[in-house]
Amino acid sequence: MSRQRWFLDSPFRLGLVLATLLIAGFLVWETVFDRWPGILYSARTGLIGQPSGPLRDFRIAILHCLLVGYLPAAFLAVVRGGRKTVRELQGALDCTPEECDALAVSLRLPVRGLVGAVLIGLVLALGTPYLASPVPDDLWNPVTWSAEVVWHRVLGPLVAVGSVALVYAILVVSGRMSRLAEDLKSIDLFDLRPLYPFTQLGLTNALLLMGLVAIAGLMVLTESGFGLLGLLVGTAILTAAGLAVALPLRGVHRRITQAKAAELEWVEAKLGEQRTVLKTGADRTSGDLSDLAAYRDLVRSVRDWPITTSSYVRFALYLLIPVASWAAAALVERVVDAWIS
């Protein structure tokens, strides 16, 4: 395996390497500029959570490093997840392994859309710092930046662009998966397991967005001044998480409802025939009418979405991941604060 292949083969490995390199570079940067005395003094004097200061800027810079490492990895995971889903649907799509591989490889993001996501991210990067208080007088003047703020201003646009690109990738891949449902062969209403890869894709994408909330939300909970920004961004990402689950299933939901409607139409026609036989007193097979009525109820009970109870539980647990992350961060903060003090 080539070095480049090793680096990109795993989204987790990619994120870990990027975050580690950035944090290591930042720590060296802080050492070169002799920033440690001020940071340690802020920690010892109980300045954690203050609206300004070197310790606050240090922590925010670390979170920026984590986000810049996480977002490319999540973006890669979304694209690879879509391709994996296509291959897992081979039986339901009735395609050969070669045809499914070709279809999976063709799952790419439009360049024009990516350029648009970059532009939107840059606009947000220029505007969001004004939503976090206190707002410096010369926000974009490099002369006023401290050693830590340099990393905020440099990595901030990357975070904004990466966040928008991640949401865009999820929307595009989800839309492609939804349209792919049109190519499914006949659906067995009483065995929806071949359709579960659609559900798994939606849950995985929602999990990736929850990871973004878990990291970015640390700024809101551990630092002051990010309340409004956290509310706006958190609401947008949580909404996107709900869409991430629902969008890949739209096409499958439509196919299931169509199959149910066709089956119910057939049952109603057969029931009509049996009613005619019953009224005319003609010979009929015992139990035909009751069997058809029971079958109709059985078809009606089929879920319109390929989502099981366990899928709902998993999504609920994913929503709790940011809460668990914030609680762990608060505990670590208390321990470190007590140790330094």
Side-chain angles (χ1 to χ4, degrees):
M1 182 182 296
S2 66
R3 183 175 300 178
Q4 182 180 7
R5 179 67 176 172
W6 178 89
F7 186 70
L8 297 176
D9 188 61
S10 168
F12 173 78
R13 188 182 299 132
L14 172 64
L16 182 62
V17 170
L18 287 177
T20 301
L21 290 176
L22 285 170
I23 292 176
F26 175 62
L27 296 179
V28 172
W29 174 278
E30 294 290 90
T31 302
V32 170
F33 284 91
D34 194 25
R35 301 291 295 175
W36 293 110
I39 294 172
L40 294 176
Y41 174 78
S42 298
R44 291 193 186 99
T45 54
L47 296 180
I48 293 178
Q50 294 298 312
S52 61
L55 181 59
R56 176 181 185 267
D57 293 337
F58 176 87
R59 289 147 60 105
I60 294 174
I62 291 292
L63 291 177
H64 276 76
C65 292
L66 292 176
L67 287 171
V68 172
Y70 178 82
L71 288 168
F75 181 89
L76 180 62
V78 169
V79 177
R80 292 200 169 188
R83 293 174 178 175
K84 178 184 176 183
T85 300
V86 173
R87 295 186 176 97
E88 291 176 345
L89 289 169
Q90 177 183 340
L93 292 171
D94 196 20
C95 60
T96 64
E98 293 76 13
E99 291 172 341
C100 281
D101 286 339
L103 183 60
V105 172
S106 68
L107 183 61
R108 295 186 177 91
L109 303 180
V111 176
R112 183 177 300 178
L114 286 175
V115 172
V118 170
L119 294 177
I120 294 173
L122 291 176
V123 171
L124 293 176
L126 293 175
T128 50
Y130 292 96
L131 299 177
S133 60
V135 180
D137 294 333
D138 296 323
L139 182 63
W140 294 106
N141 185 1
V143 177
T144 64
W145 298 349
S146 66
E148 296 81 20
V149 173
V150 169
W151 286 71
H152 302 180
R153 299 295 178 257
V154 173
L155 297 183
L158 297 179
V159 172
V161 169
S163 300
V164 176
L166 175 61
V167 173
Y168 172 73
I170 290 175
L171 294 177
V172 171
V173 171
S174 299
R176 291 286 298 274
M177 290 299 105
S178 179
R179 292 191 294 272
L180 190 63
E182 299 175 0
D183 298 328
L184 293 171
K185 59 184 181 181
S186 58
I187 294 177
D188 184 355
L189 292 176
F190 306 110
D191 184 12
L192 299 180
R193 287 175 296 178
L195 306 179
Y196 286 168
F198 288 98
T199 308
Q200 178 61 41
L201 175 67
L203 290 172
T204 301
N205 289 343
L207 176 61
L208 293 172
L209 288 173
M210 288 302 99
L212 175 58
V213 174
I215 299 174
L218 292 174
M219 294 188 192
V220 180
L221 293 182
T222 61
E223 309 296 346
S224 61
F226 287 91
L228 177 59
L229 180 60
L231 177 63
L232 295 176
V233 175
T235 301
I237 295 178
L238 289 175
T239 302
L243 292 175
V245 175
L247 286 180
L249 303 178
R250 289 177 55 202
V252 180
H253 166 68
R254 184 165 53 248
R255 289 294 307 274
I256 292 175
T257 54
Q258 289 173 352
K260 285 181 64 175
E263 198 71 7
L264 289 172
E265 183 179 357
W266 177 83
V267 173
E268 294 294 347
K270 289 296 183 180
L271 283 171
E273 294 175 3
Q274 290 300 316
R275 284 195 299 269
T276 301
V277 171
L278 182 63
K279 291 179 179 179
T280 58
D283 294 336
R284 65 186 183 87
T285 303
S286 176
D288 281 352
L289 193 62
S290 59
D291 290 344
L292 287 171
Y295 181 70
R296 179 181 59 185
D297 293 338
L298 184 62
V299 172
R300 287 174 176 173
S301 67
V302 173
R303 299 185 303 272
D304 291 340
W305 298 83
I307 303 178
T308 62
T309 303
S310 63
S311 299
Y312 287 110
V313 173
R314 287 177 59 187
F315 183 66
L317 291 176
Y318 290 167
L319 293 178
L320 294 178
I321 288 177
V323 179
S325 172
W326 301 336
L331 178 61
V332 170
E333 177 184 327
R334 289 182 176 273
V335 172
V336 172
D337 185 34
W339 177 73
I340 294 177
S341 300

